């Protein structure tokens, strides 16, 4: 898969949506409906729909954060105050979330991505297909037998 995704985050969602539609041969709405009707029929489609939804949600959060920051900057004198810096940090965090989710969607769409072939792919398949039915380690404390009453040394009687 090439790195032809533009830097603009709005375009990233659009480009990834087009790639998803091309990969599965249907519109996003049709794919969502198909996954909702049979979520276990195609795990690849289910994963892509899930992560695409998360990406779209994070893009909406980013858009709101950017709008809030711009509105705050318009009212600022030459120096930026702490609340505006907080908004800038919120934008940075939202960008990071969007970038991460976009990378996951790209990885899901790329059949040659690292971890999708060989031993790593076999392990991933076992995880995705429920080979393990319980936790890998015990999740509760081991049973301890009750201790008999033993008088403590130096205890008063």
């Amino acid at each position: 898969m090439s790195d032809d995704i533009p830097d603009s985050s709005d375009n990233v969602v659009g480009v990834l949506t087009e790639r998803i539609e091309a990969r599965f041969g249907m519109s996003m709405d049709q794919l969502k409906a198909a996954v909702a009707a049979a979520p276990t029929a195609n795990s690849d489609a289910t994963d892509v729909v899930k992560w695409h939804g998360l990406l779209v949600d994070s893009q909406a959060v980013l858009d709101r954060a950017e709008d809030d920051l711009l509105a705050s900057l318009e009212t600022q004198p030459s120096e930026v105050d702490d609340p505006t810096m907080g908004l800038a940090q919120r934008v940075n965090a939202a960008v990071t979330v969007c970038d991460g989710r976009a990378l996951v969607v790209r990885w899901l769409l790329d059949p040659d991505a690292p971890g999708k072939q060989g031993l790593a792919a076999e392990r991933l398949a076992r995880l995705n297909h429920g080979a393990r039915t319980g936790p890998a380690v015990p999740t509760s404390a081991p049973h301890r037998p009750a201790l008999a009453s033993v008088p403590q040394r130096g205890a008063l009687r």
Side-chain angles (χ1 to χ4, degrees):
M1 185 170 267
S2 65
D3 290 331
D4 59 349
I5 294 179
D7 288 333
S8 172
S9 57
D10 290 330
N11 291 336
V12 170
V13 174
V15 169
L16 289 173
T17 300
E18 289 173 6
R19 288 185 180 176
I20 292 167
E21 291 172 346
R23 161 97 185 273
F24 293 98
M26 59 182 78
S27 72
M28 233 15 244
D29 290 336
Q30 292 171 324
L31 185 59
K32 287 179 191 176
V35 165
T40 58
N42 184 330
S43 64
D44 289 344
T46 302
D47 290 343
V48 166
V49 166
K50 172 189 169 187
W51 282 97
H52 181 269
L54 292 171
L55 174 61
V56 169
D57 291 346
S58 63
Q59 181 62 50
V61 169
L62 174 58
D63 291 342
R64 282 191 304 275
E66 288 175 333
D67 291 344
D68 292 347
L69 177 60
L70 288 174
S72 181
L73 286 172
E74 289 173 355
T75 65
Q76 293 292 305
S78 61
E79 291 186 29
V80 176
D81 61 9
D82 287 342
T84 303
M85 284 303 293
L87 291 172
Q89 290 171 348
R90 198 174 103 204
V91 168
N92 284 338
V95 167
T96 301
V97 171
C98 280
D99 288 349
R101 291 176 178 179
L103 286 172
V104 171
V105 172
R106 285 186 65 198
W107 184 84
L108 290 169
L109 292 173
D110 185 356
D112 298 322
K116 287 196 168 183
Q117 297 176 359
L119 183 59
E122 292 172 21
R123 288 180 180 161
L124 182 62
R126 280 196 303 267
L127 283 174
N128 285 338
H129 292 96
R132 183 185 308 161
T133 58
V137 295
T139 57
S140 58
H143 176 69
R144 293 181 132 167
L147 298 175
S149 298
V150 178
Q152 293 184 352
R153 197 171 167 178
L156 297 174
R157 294 184 200 192

